[in-house]
Amino acid sequence: MFTTLLIEQLLNGLQLGVMLFLMAAGLTLIFGVMGLINLAHGSLYMIGAFACATVAAATGSFWIGLIASLAAAAGVGAIIEVAVIRRLYDRDHLDQVLATFALILILSEGARWLFGSFPLYLDIPPQLQGAVALPGGGQYQLYRLAIIGVGVVVAAGLYLLISRTRLGMRIRAGESDREMIGALGVDIGTLYTVVFALGAALAGLAGALVGALQSVQVGMGEPVLILAFVVIVIGGIGSIKGALVGAVIVGVVDTMGRFLLPSLLALTMPASQATTIGAALASMLIYVVMALILAFRPSGLFSAHS
Amino acid sequence: MNRILAASVFGLSLATSSLAYAEPVKIGVITTLSGGGAGLGIDMRDAFTLAMKQSGNKDVELVIEDDAQKPELAVQIAEKMIQGDKVDLMTGIIWSNLAMAVVPNTVAQDVIYLSPNAGPSALAGANCNPNYFNVAYQNDNFHEAMGQYANKDYKNAFILAPNYPAGKDALTGFKRYYKGALAGEIYTQVGQTDYAAEIAQIRASGADSVYFFLPGGMGIAFMKQYAQSGVGIPVTGPGFSFSQDVLPAIGDAAIGVKNSATWSKDLDNEANKKFVDAFKAEYKRLPSIYAAQSWDTANLILAALSKADVKDKDAFRAALKAADFKSVRGEFAFNNNNHPIQNVYIREVVKEDDGVLTNKIIATAFEHHKDAYAEKCAM
């Protein structure tokens, strides 16, 4: 019984990790290429979820909603890049944080104005309802397995995009020397817009996928954003590989901590006390892990700029 | 001639204006209007302003501020309202951790606070205060009712709640009346949105039922994920987990779930019918329990204002304590600790003919229920 539970919890950790990877990949790409700290990334996640919920409610199809979420997040991302972000590349990080924080407020209130304050309804598609049997007699929800699958496909796709295509070559070149590729005649402006829209689309995808599991509401992006920042700090800022490894570490550590810590503490203290203290410790655990990793690898596990 | 006319008009207008602005009563409303918990606060505010509007009382002035569900922000706003706006009364806070940050300091400055929702146990017992009136409930109450009701069908319950004052009160309240065994007890993070790890533990625990207290977006996330996980063990919860503000987002997964509350849309009394109709007509949606409690808070204040001057604190406190108003919850009185004595009902989630999910009352768990902390209160 315990092994099945352990396997199920590992899969839960992996699923959380994959979802964080979709967020962190865009965040780290944007930081790596443009040197921009984008706090509004969580808002793009929210836009993806709202677009999916609205379109799915109107058409009755989750899949059309999913496409809409990619389009909406990428579209809003491109508009934001051209209208606001473009003016921030040469400014220091404090200005960027301030401006993108303003974007969070504007986008949140905008979403509230358009959709209201009450959560929207979004259900998982009928094809992915139900659970599948795990080896060893356990059961696991099909939809969460599908999220893990999407994460693997996106990770492989990003790897191919960056290492095998012309766009990827320009992204890598942009990461190492921005002025030089500009001098070589590459249109930096367009490249930046494309990278920003790509990162936004990944965030929108994550929002839509998770929206079907959770509630689609204003402000849903900010808690995820904090975790995504932890991920890219652990993984090394600017590194896609680091984002993947960091996301899986954070996902698994967080899930396992919530599951194992209260039971471990229960061995040494009364059960009700153990659940309270265990819950408090579990919520700190990923930050402890982050501090430990930074103590030994100050620039993260796979820093792109080391 | 003209000058005399102008002077007399001026004089008259002065006289009438000084009459109209006799002494406006200022009420400070701190509630959650942004972020994930905004649905609750907006229902609270909408019902409160509607009750004031319908009363036609022109002397009441509302100062409404958004706390964004952040305790530190709520404390600042409260200070500003007391020192700057010089409010006579305060109300509005939804969340118990915010109430704990604001209420003790507010009542200590001799400002009367009326709670439309949060009822932490710490303020109901030894630390009760003559300036603190809870119009909603003591936090444990709903959960006590469900614990009592669970004895009928269940022997091995799995219980979970967020790790904050109301969450701890919730599980304490449930355990006070529930006599069966516990298959597990979990405190989750406030604002948590993914419950896969907890659901896996529920699946493995061998429980025969699940009791969860997760207000707002947390409950939507849990209920959807629980329904999708295929665990299949029956769930119950307090009314907050299945309130009108979250039911549309949970969807059909909620149908048939039993939950406890002091109020329901179908509660049969004159005040409630008037309230539900007025709220529906004004806002084109069904009211939640938060709206109902807020409506009662507003009407309690209006009733007290008609009997006593708000500046005369002793008289006004006595007028509040008399609770001489028509509650949408039917019979309502204050206990010695200024917390309600009221009925607690068991409701079931149903789908109405027009496809709207809502609750209907199926049983009465407690009649004239008092909270467990009142005897520790010296008032």
Side-chain angles (χ1 to χ4, degrees), chain B residues 27-33 40-42 44-45 48 62-82 85 87 89-95 98-99 101-103 106 111 113-118:
Chain B
I27 305 177
V29 181
I30 308 176
T31 195
T32 305
L33 302 174
L40 290 65
I42 287 171
M44 184 274 145
R45 176 199 63 189
F48 199 86
L62 300 182
V63 184
I64 301 174
E65 295 258 7
D66 172 23
D67 60 34
Q69 207 180 333
K70 295 193 173 82
E72 66 278 10
L73 194 58
V75 169
Q76 285 174 18
I77 296 170
E79 265 327 289
K80 194 207 100 197
M81 283 180 172
I82 297 169
D85 298 320
V87 295
L89 306 166
M90 274 169 62
T91 182
I93 295 175
I94 298 290
W95 306 90
L98 275 70
V102 168
V103 172
T106 301
V111 173
Y113 181 86
L114 298 104
S115 177
N117 192 56

